[in-house]
Short mmCIF file of all heavy atoms in Angstrom, two decimals:
data_model
loop_
_atom_site.label_atom_id
_atom_site.label_comp_id
_atom_site.label_asym_id
_atom_site.label_seq_id
_atom_site.Cartn_x
_atom_site.Cartn_y
_atom_site.Cartn_z
N ASP A 69 -50.83 -3.30 -34.54
CA ASP A 69 -50.43 -2.29 -35.51
C ASP A 69 -51.54 -2.13 -36.54
O ASP A 69 -51.91 -3.10 -37.22
CB ASP A 69 -49.12 -2.71 -36.18
CG ASP A 69 -48.71 -1.75 -37.26
OD1 ASP A 69 -48.35 -0.60 -36.94
OD2 ASP A 69 -48.78 -2.14 -38.46
N ARG A 70 -52.09 -0.92 -36.65
CA ARG A 70 -53.23 -0.66 -37.54
C ARG A 70 -52.92 -1.04 -38.99
O ARG A 70 -53.73 -1.67 -39.66
CB ARG A 70 -53.61 0.82 -37.44
CG ARG A 70 -54.76 1.26 -38.32
CD ARG A 70 -56.13 0.90 -37.74
NE ARG A 70 -56.57 -0.39 -38.24
CZ ARG A 70 -57.23 -1.31 -37.52
NH1 ARG A 70 -57.52 -1.10 -36.26
NH2 ARG A 70 -57.58 -2.44 -38.03
N ALA A 71 -51.76 -0.69 -39.49
CA ALA A 71 -51.42 -0.99 -40.88
C ALA A 71 -51.36 -2.50 -41.12
O ALA A 71 -51.82 -2.99 -42.16
CB ALA A 71 -50.10 -0.34 -41.25
N THR A 72 -50.82 -3.24 -40.16
CA THR A 72 -50.74 -4.70 -40.29
C THR A 72 -52.13 -5.32 -40.27
O THR A 72 -52.45 -6.17 -41.11
CB THR A 72 -49.87 -5.29 -39.17
OG1 THR A 72 -48.56 -4.73 -39.27
CG2 THR A 72 -49.78 -6.80 -39.27
N LEU A 73 -52.97 -4.87 -39.35
CA LEU A 73 -54.34 -5.40 -39.28
C LEU A 73 -55.09 -5.12 -40.58
O LEU A 73 -55.76 -6.01 -41.12
CB LEU A 73 -55.09 -4.81 -38.09
CG LEU A 73 -54.57 -5.22 -36.71
CD1 LEU A 73 -55.17 -4.34 -35.62
CD2 LEU A 73 -54.88 -6.69 -36.44
N ASP A 74 -54.97 -3.91 -41.09
CA ASP A 74 -55.66 -3.55 -42.34
C ASP A 74 -55.12 -4.33 -43.53
O ASP A 74 -55.89 -4.78 -44.39
CB ASP A 74 -55.56 -2.05 -42.59
CG ASP A 74 -56.39 -1.23 -41.61
OD1 ASP A 74 -57.27 -1.80 -40.93
OD2 ASP A 74 -56.13 -0.01 -41.51
N SER A 75 -53.82 -4.51 -43.59
CA SER A 75 -53.22 -5.26 -44.70
C SER A 75 -53.64 -6.73 -44.67
O SER A 75 -53.93 -7.32 -45.72
CB SER A 75 -51.70 -5.16 -44.65
OG SER A 75 -51.29 -3.83 -44.85
N MET A 76 -53.66 -7.30 -43.49
CA MET A 76 -54.10 -8.70 -43.37
C MET A 76 -55.57 -8.83 -43.72
O MET A 76 -55.98 -9.79 -44.38
CB MET A 76 -53.80 -9.23 -41.97
CG MET A 76 -52.32 -9.44 -41.72
SD MET A 76 -51.93 -9.96 -40.04
CE MET A 76 -52.62 -11.61 -40.03
N ALA A 77 -56.38 -7.86 -43.33
CA ALA A 77 -57.82 -7.88 -43.67
C ALA A 77 -58.01 -7.86 -45.18
O ALA A 77 -58.88 -8.56 -45.71
CB ALA A 77 -58.54 -6.69 -43.04
N ALA A 78 -57.21 -7.08 -45.87
CA ALA A 78 -57.32 -6.98 -47.32
C ALA A 78 -56.91 -8.28 -48.02
O ALA A 78 -57.42 -8.61 -49.08
CB ALA A 78 -56.48 -5.82 -47.84
N ALA A 79 -56.00 -9.02 -47.41
CA ALA A 79 -55.44 -10.21 -48.06
C ALA A 79 -56.06 -11.53 -47.62
O ALA A 79 -55.94 -12.53 -48.33
CB ALA A 79 -53.94 -10.25 -47.83
N LEU A 80 -56.70 -11.55 -46.46
CA LEU A 80 -57.29 -12.80 -45.97
C LEU A 80 -58.79 -12.80 -46.25
O LEU A 80 -59.50 -11.88 -45.82
CB LEU A 80 -57.03 -12.96 -44.46
CG LEU A 80 -55.57 -13.14 -44.08
CD1 LEU A 80 -55.39 -13.03 -42.56
CD2 LEU A 80 -55.06 -14.49 -44.58
N PRO A 81 -59.29 -13.82 -46.94
CA PRO A 81 -60.68 -13.78 -47.41
C PRO A 81 -61.75 -13.77 -46.31
O PRO A 81 -62.82 -13.23 -46.53
CB PRO A 81 -60.80 -15.04 -48.27
CG PRO A 81 -59.71 -15.94 -47.80
CD PRO A 81 -58.61 -15.04 -47.33
N TYR A 82 -61.47 -14.34 -45.16
CA TYR A 82 -62.49 -14.43 -44.12
C TYR A 82 -62.10 -13.64 -42.86
O TYR A 82 -62.62 -13.91 -41.78
CB TYR A 82 -62.77 -15.89 -43.78
CG TYR A 82 -63.29 -16.63 -44.98
CD1 TYR A 82 -62.47 -17.50 -45.70
CD2 TYR A 82 -64.58 -16.43 -45.43
CE1 TYR A 82 -62.92 -18.15 -46.83
CE2 TYR A 82 -65.06 -17.07 -46.57
CZ TYR A 82 -64.22 -17.93 -47.26
OH TYR A 82 -64.68 -18.57 -48.39
N ALA A 83 -61.24 -12.67 -43.02
CA ALA A 83 -60.79 -11.89 -41.87
C ALA A 83 -60.99 -10.40 -42.10
O ALA A 83 -60.22 -9.57 -41.61
CB ALA A 83 -59.32 -12.21 -41.57
N LYS A 84 -62.02 -10.03 -42.81
CA LYS A 84 -62.29 -8.62 -43.11
C LYS A 84 -62.53 -7.80 -41.85
O LYS A 84 -62.30 -6.60 -41.82
CB LYS A 84 -63.47 -8.48 -44.08
CG LYS A 84 -63.28 -9.22 -45.40
CD LYS A 84 -61.96 -8.89 -46.07
CE LYS A 84 -61.77 -9.68 -47.35
NZ LYS A 84 -60.39 -9.72 -47.79
N MET A 85 -63.01 -8.46 -40.78
CA MET A 85 -63.28 -7.75 -39.53
C MET A 85 -62.01 -7.22 -38.86
O MET A 85 -62.08 -6.45 -37.91
CB MET A 85 -64.09 -8.62 -38.57
CG MET A 85 -63.33 -9.76 -37.92
SD MET A 85 -62.82 -11.10 -39.03
CE MET A 85 -64.38 -11.79 -39.53
N LEU A 86 -60.86 -7.60 -39.36
CA LEU A 86 -59.60 -7.07 -38.83
C LEU A 86 -59.54 -5.54 -38.96
O LEU A 86 -58.82 -4.89 -38.21
CB LEU A 86 -58.39 -7.71 -39.52
CG LEU A 86 -58.07 -9.14 -39.11
CD1 LEU A 86 -57.05 -9.75 -40.06
CD2 LEU A 86 -57.58 -9.19 -37.67
N THR A 87 -60.31 -4.99 -39.90
CA THR A 87 -60.34 -3.53 -40.05
C THR A 87 -61.05 -2.85 -38.89
O THR A 87 -60.89 -1.65 -38.69
CB THR A 87 -61.03 -3.11 -41.36
OG1 THR A 87 -62.39 -3.56 -41.34
CG2 THR A 87 -60.31 -3.66 -42.58
N GLN A 88 -61.84 -3.60 -38.12
CA GLN A 88 -62.62 -3.03 -37.03
C GLN A 88 -61.96 -3.18 -35.66
O GLN A 88 -62.34 -2.49 -34.72
CB GLN A 88 -63.98 -3.72 -36.93
CG GLN A 88 -64.84 -3.60 -38.15
CD GLN A 88 -66.10 -4.43 -37.97
OE1 GLN A 88 -66.61 -4.58 -36.87
NE2 GLN A 88 -66.58 -4.97 -39.07
N VAL A 89 -61.03 -4.09 -35.53
CA VAL A 89 -60.46 -4.38 -34.22
C VAL A 89 -59.14 -3.63 -34.03
O VAL A 89 -58.49 -3.21 -34.99
CB VAL A 89 -60.22 -5.90 -34.01
CG1 VAL A 89 -61.52 -6.66 -34.00
CG2 VAL A 89 -59.26 -6.46 -35.04
N ARG A 90 -58.76 -3.49 -32.78
CA ARG A 90 -57.46 -2.91 -32.46
C ARG A 90 -56.43 -4.00 -32.21
O ARG A 90 -55.24 -3.73 -32.14
CB ARG A 90 -57.57 -2.03 -31.23
CG ARG A 90 -58.41 -0.79 -31.46
CD ARG A 90 -58.32 0.12 -30.28
NE ARG A 90 -59.22 1.25 -30.42
CZ ARG A 90 -59.27 2.24 -29.56
NH1 ARG A 90 -58.47 2.26 -28.50
NH2 ARG A 90 -60.12 3.23 -29.73
N TYR A 91 -56.91 -5.25 -32.07
CA TYR A 91 -56.02 -6.37 -31.75
C TYR A 91 -56.44 -7.63 -32.49
O TYR A 91 -57.61 -7.87 -32.73
CB TYR A 91 -56.06 -6.70 -30.25
CG TYR A 91 -55.79 -5.54 -29.36
CD1 TYR A 91 -56.82 -4.77 -28.85
CD2 TYR A 91 -54.48 -5.21 -29.01
CE1 TYR A 91 -56.57 -3.70 -28.01
CE2 TYR A 91 -54.22 -4.13 -28.18
CZ TYR A 91 -55.27 -3.38 -27.69
OH TYR A 91 -55.02 -2.32 -26.87
N ALA A 92 -55.43 -8.44 -32.77
CA ALA A 92 -55.66 -9.80 -33.23
C ALA A 92 -54.55 -10.66 -32.64
O ALA A 92 -53.45 -10.17 -32.36
CB ALA A 92 -55.64 -9.89 -34.75
N MET A 93 -54.88 -11.90 -32.44
CA MET A 93 -53.90 -12.85 -31.91
C MET A 93 -53.70 -13.92 -32.97
O MET A 93 -54.66 -14.49 -33.48
CB MET A 93 -54.44 -13.46 -30.61
CG MET A 93 -53.39 -14.16 -29.79
SD MET A 93 -54.03 -14.68 -28.18
CE MET A 93 -54.37 -13.11 -27.39
N VAL A 94 -52.46 -14.17 -33.31
CA VAL A 94 -52.13 -15.25 -34.24
C VAL A 94 -51.63 -16.42 -33.41
O VAL A 94 -50.69 -16.28 -32.62
CB VAL A 94 -51.05 -14.81 -35.25
CG1 VAL A 94 -50.77 -15.94 -36.24
CG2 VAL A 94 -51.47 -13.54 -35.99
N VAL A 95 -52.30 -17.55 -33.58
CA VAL A 95 -51.89 -18.77 -32.89
C VAL A 95 -51.05 -19.56 -33.88
O VAL A 95 -51.50 -19.87 -34.99
CB VAL A 95 -53.12 -19.60 -32.43
CG1 VAL A 95 -52.65 -20.87 -31.72
CG2 VAL A 95 -54.01 -18.76 -31.51
N CYS A 96 -49.83 -19.85 -33.48
CA CYS A 96 -48.87 -20.53 -34.36
C CYS A 96 -48.33 -21.76 -33.64
O CYS A 96 -48.42 -21.87 -32.41
CB CYS A 96 -47.69 -19.62 -34.67
SG CYS A 96 -48.11 -18.04 -35.37
N GLY A 97 -47.76 -22.66 -34.42
CA GLY A 97 -47.14 -23.84 -33.84
C GLY A 97 -45.79 -24.12 -34.46
O GLY A 97 -45.58 -23.90 -35.66
N ASP A 98 -44.89 -24.60 -33.64
CA ASP A 98 -43.54 -24.93 -34.10
C ASP A 98 -43.54 -26.39 -34.55
O ASP A 98 -43.55 -27.31 -33.73
CB ASP A 98 -42.55 -24.71 -32.97
CG ASP A 98 -41.11 -24.82 -33.44
OD1 ASP A 98 -40.85 -25.49 -34.47
OD2 ASP A 98 -40.23 -24.26 -32.76
N SER A 99 -43.52 -26.58 -35.87
CA SER A 99 -43.56 -27.92 -36.44
C SER A 99 -42.29 -28.72 -36.16
O SER A 99 -42.29 -29.95 -36.26
CB SER A 99 -43.83 -27.85 -37.95
OG SER A 99 -42.79 -27.14 -38.60
N ALA A 100 -41.20 -28.04 -35.80
CA ALA A 100 -39.96 -28.74 -35.44
C ALA A 100 -40.07 -29.34 -34.04
O ALA A 100 -39.40 -30.33 -33.74
CB ALA A 100 -38.78 -27.78 -35.51
N ARG A 101 -40.90 -28.77 -33.21
CA ARG A 101 -41.09 -29.27 -31.84
C ARG A 101 -42.07 -30.43 -31.80
O ARG A 101 -41.95 -31.32 -30.96
CB ARG A 101 -41.60 -28.17 -30.93
CG ARG A 101 -40.57 -27.10 -30.68
CD ARG A 101 -40.93 -26.32 -29.48
NE ARG A 101 -41.00 -27.24 -28.35
CZ ARG A 101 -41.08 -26.91 -27.10
NH1 ARG A 101 -41.12 -25.66 -26.79
NH2 ARG A 101 -41.13 -27.79 -26.16
N SER A 102 -43.08 -30.38 -32.68
CA SER A 102 -44.12 -31.42 -32.65
C SER A 102 -44.79 -31.54 -34.00
O SER A 102 -45.21 -30.54 -34.59
CB SER A 102 -45.17 -31.07 -31.59
OG SER A 102 -46.27 -31.94 -31.66
N SER A 103 -44.94 -32.77 -34.45
CA SER A 103 -45.68 -33.00 -35.69
C SER A 103 -47.20 -32.82 -35.46
O SER A 103 -47.95 -32.72 -36.41
CB SER A 103 -45.39 -34.41 -36.24
OG SER A 103 -45.83 -35.38 -35.30
N LEU A 104 -47.61 -32.77 -34.21
CA LEU A 104 -49.02 -32.58 -33.85
C LEU A 104 -49.31 -31.14 -33.43
O LEU A 104 -50.29 -30.88 -32.75
CB LEU A 104 -49.40 -33.55 -32.72
CG LEU A 104 -49.21 -35.03 -33.04
CD1 LEU A 104 -49.51 -35.89 -31.82
CD2 LEU A 104 -50.09 -35.43 -34.22
N TRP A 105 -48.47 -30.21 -33.84
CA TRP A 105 -48.60 -28.81 -33.43
C TRP A 105 -49.99 -28.27 -33.67
O TRP A 105 -50.52 -27.52 -32.87
CB TRP A 105 -47.55 -27.95 -34.15
CG TRP A 105 -47.79 -27.83 -35.62
CD1 TRP A 105 -47.32 -28.65 -36.61
CD2 TRP A 105 -48.61 -26.86 -36.27
NE1 TRP A 105 -47.78 -28.24 -37.84
CE2 TRP A 105 -48.58 -27.14 -37.66
CE3 TRP A 105 -49.38 -25.77 -35.84
CZ2 TRP A 105 -49.28 -26.39 -38.59
CZ3 TRP A 105 -50.07 -25.02 -36.77
CH2 TRP A 105 -50.02 -25.33 -38.13
N TYR A 106 -50.62 -28.62 -34.81
CA TYR A 106 -51.93 -28.06 -35.17
C TYR A 106 -53.04 -28.55 -34.25
O TYR A 106 -54.03 -27.84 -34.04
CB TYR A 106 -52.27 -28.36 -36.64
CG TYR A 106 -52.27 -29.84 -36.95
CD1 TYR A 106 -53.44 -30.57 -36.93
CD2 TYR A 106 -51.08 -30.49 -37.26
CE1 TYR A 106 -53.44 -31.93 -37.19
CE2 TYR A 106 -51.07 -31.84 -37.53
CZ TYR A 106 -52.26 -32.55 -37.49
OH TYR A 106 -52.25 -33.91 -37.75
N LEU A 107 -52.87 -29.73 -33.66
CA LEU A 107 -53.85 -30.21 -32.68
C LEU A 107 -53.70 -29.46 -31.37
O LEU A 107 -54.68 -28.97 -30.79
CB LEU A 107 -53.68 -31.72 -32.46
CG LEU A 107 -53.89 -32.60 -33.68
CD1 LEU A 107 -53.55 -34.05 -33.35
CD2 LEU A 107 -55.31 -32.48 -34.19
N ASP A 108 -52.48 -29.35 -30.89
CA ASP A 108 -52.22 -28.63 -29.64
C ASP A 108 -52.63 -27.16 -29.77
O ASP A 108 -53.25 -26.59 -28.86
CB ASP A 108 -50.74 -28.69 -29.27
CG ASP A 108 -50.28 -30.10 -28.92
OD1 ASP A 108 -51.12 -30.98 -28.72
OD2 ASP A 108 -49.05 -30.30 -28.83
N CYS A 109 -52.32 -26.57 -30.90
CA CYS A 109 -52.64 -25.16 -31.10
C CYS A 109 -54.14 -24.93 -31.29
O CYS A 109 -54.65 -23.86 -30.93
CB CYS A 109 -51.84 -24.59 -32.27
SG CYS A 109 -50.07 -24.51 -31.88
N SER A 110 -54.84 -25.92 -31.80
CA SER A 110 -56.31 -25.82 -31.89
C SER A 110 -56.92 -25.78 -30.50
O SER A 110 -57.85 -25.00 -30.24
CB SER A 110 -56.88 -26.99 -32.69
OG SER A 110 -56.51 -26.91 -34.04
N ALA A 111 -56.40 -26.60 -29.60
CA ALA A 111 -56.89 -26.57 -28.22
C ALA A 111 -56.57 -25.22 -27.58
O ALA A 111 -57.40 -24.64 -26.87
CB ALA A 111 -56.26 -27.71 -27.41
N ALA A 112 -55.39 -24.68 -27.85
CA ALA A 112 -55.01 -23.37 -27.31
C ALA A 112 -55.93 -22.28 -27.87
O ALA A 112 -56.37 -21.40 -27.12
CB ALA A 112 -53.54 -23.07 -27.65
N ALA A 113 -56.22 -22.34 -29.17
CA ALA A 113 -57.10 -21.34 -29.79
C ALA A 113 -58.49 -21.40 -29.18
O ALA A 113 -59.10 -20.36 -28.90
CB ALA A 113 -57.16 -21.55 -31.30
N GLN A 114 -59.01 -22.60 -28.95
CA GLN A 114 -60.33 -22.72 -28.33
C GLN A 114 -60.31 -22.12 -26.92
O GLN A 114 -61.24 -21.42 -26.53
CB GLN A 114 -60.77 -24.18 -28.28
CG GLN A 114 -62.10 -24.40 -27.59
CD GLN A 114 -63.30 -23.81 -28.34
OE1 GLN A 114 -63.17 -23.26 -29.43
NE2 GLN A 114 -64.46 -23.93 -27.75
N ASN A 115 -59.26 -22.36 -26.17
CA ASN A 115 -59.16 -21.77 -24.84
C ASN A 115 -59.16 -20.24 -24.92
O ASN A 115 -59.77 -19.56 -24.09
CB ASN A 115 -57.90 -22.24 -24.12
CG ASN A 115 -58.06 -23.58 -23.45
OD1 ASN A 115 -59.06 -24.29 -23.63
ND2 ASN A 115 -57.08 -23.97 -22.66
N ILE A 116 -58.49 -19.69 -25.91
CA ILE A 116 -58.46 -18.24 -26.10
C ILE A 116 -59.85 -17.71 -26.40
O ILE A 116 -60.28 -16.70 -25.84
CB ILE A 116 -57.45 -17.86 -27.21
CG1 ILE A 116 -56.02 -18.12 -26.71
CG2 ILE A 116 -57.63 -16.41 -27.66
CD1 ILE A 116 -54.96 -18.11 -27.79
N LEU A 117 -60.57 -18.40 -27.27
CA LEU A 117 -61.94 -17.98 -27.60
C LEU A 117 -62.85 -18.03 -26.38
O LEU A 117 -63.67 -17.13 -26.16
CB LEU A 117 -62.50 -18.86 -28.73
CG LEU A 117 -61.80 -18.74 -30.08
CD1 LEU A 117 -62.28 -19.83 -31.02
CD2 LEU A 117 -62.01 -17.37 -30.68
N LEU A 118 -62.70 -19.08 -25.58
CA LEU A 118 -63.51 -19.19 -24.36
C LEU A 118 -63.12 -18.12 -23.34
O LEU A 118 -63.99 -17.55 -22.66
CB LEU A 118 -63.37 -20.59 -23.77
CG LEU A 118 -64.03 -21.70 -24.58
CD1 LEU A 118 -63.65 -23.07 -24.03
CD2 LEU A 118 -65.55 -21.53 -24.61
N ALA A 119 -61.84 -17.83 -23.24
CA ALA A 119 -61.40 -16.78 -22.33
C ALA A 119 -61.96 -15.43 -22.76
O ALA A 119 -62.44 -14.65 -21.93
CB ALA A 119 -59.87 -16.74 -22.27
N ALA A 120 -61.92 -15.16 -24.06
CA ALA A 120 -62.48 -13.90 -24.56
C ALA A 120 -63.95 -13.78 -24.17
O ALA A 120 -64.38 -12.73 -23.67
CB ALA A 120 -62.31 -13.81 -26.08
N GLU A 121 -64.71 -14.83 -24.36
CA GLU A 121 -66.13 -14.82 -24.00
C GLU A 121 -66.30 -14.53 -22.51
O GLU A 121 -67.13 -13.71 -22.12
CB GLU A 121 -66.77 -16.17 -24.35
CG GLU A 121 -68.24 -16.27 -24.01
CD GLU A 121 -69.12 -15.40 -24.87
OE1 GLU A 121 -68.84 -15.25 -26.08
OE2 GLU A 121 -70.11 -14.84 -24.33
N SER A 122 -65.52 -15.19 -21.69
CA SER A 122 -65.66 -15.03 -20.24
C SER A 122 -65.27 -13.63 -19.77
O SER A 122 -65.71 -13.19 -18.70
CB SER A 122 -64.83 -16.07 -19.50
OG SER A 122 -63.46 -15.74 -19.52
N LEU A 123 -64.47 -12.92 -20.56
CA LEU A 123 -64.01 -11.58 -20.20
C LEU A 123 -64.87 -10.48 -20.80
O LEU A 123 -64.52 -9.30 -20.72
CB LEU A 123 -62.55 -11.42 -20.65
CG LEU A 123 -61.54 -12.33 -19.96
CD1 LEU A 123 -60.21 -12.32 -20.68
CD2 LEU A 123 -61.39 -11.93 -18.49
N GLY A 124 -65.98 -10.85 -21.44
CA GLY A 124 -66.87 -9.87 -22.04
C GLY A 124 -66.39 -9.37 -23.38
O GLY A 124 -66.87 -8.35 -23.88
N LEU A 125 -65.47 -10.10 -23.99
CA LEU A 125 -64.94 -9.74 -25.30
C LEU A 125 -65.59 -10.61 -26.37
O LEU A 125 -66.14 -11.66 -26.08
CB LEU A 125 -63.42 -9.93 -25.34
CG LEU A 125 -62.62 -9.13 -24.33
CD1 LEU A 125 -61.16 -9.55 -24.35
CD2 LEU A 125 -62.76 -7.64 -24.60
#
Side-chain angles (χ1 to χ4, degrees):
D69 176 68
R70 179 80 268 142
T72 300
L73 293 167
D74 290 344
S75 295
M76 289 176 69
L80 294 170
Y82 300 103
K84 302 309 178 198
M85 73 291 295
L86 285 168
T87 61
Q88 299 175 33
V89 296
R90 293 188 186 184
Y91 306 93
M93 195 173 294
V94 182
V95 180
C96 305
D98 189 336
S99 61
R101 291 199 59 169
S102 172
S103 62
L104 301 175
W105 68 270
Y106 58 95
L107 299 174
D108 293 347
C109 292
S110 292
Q114 177 67 3
N115 277 9
I116 290 166
L117 295 170
L118 290 171
E121 180 69 37
S122 76
L123 296 167
L125 301 173

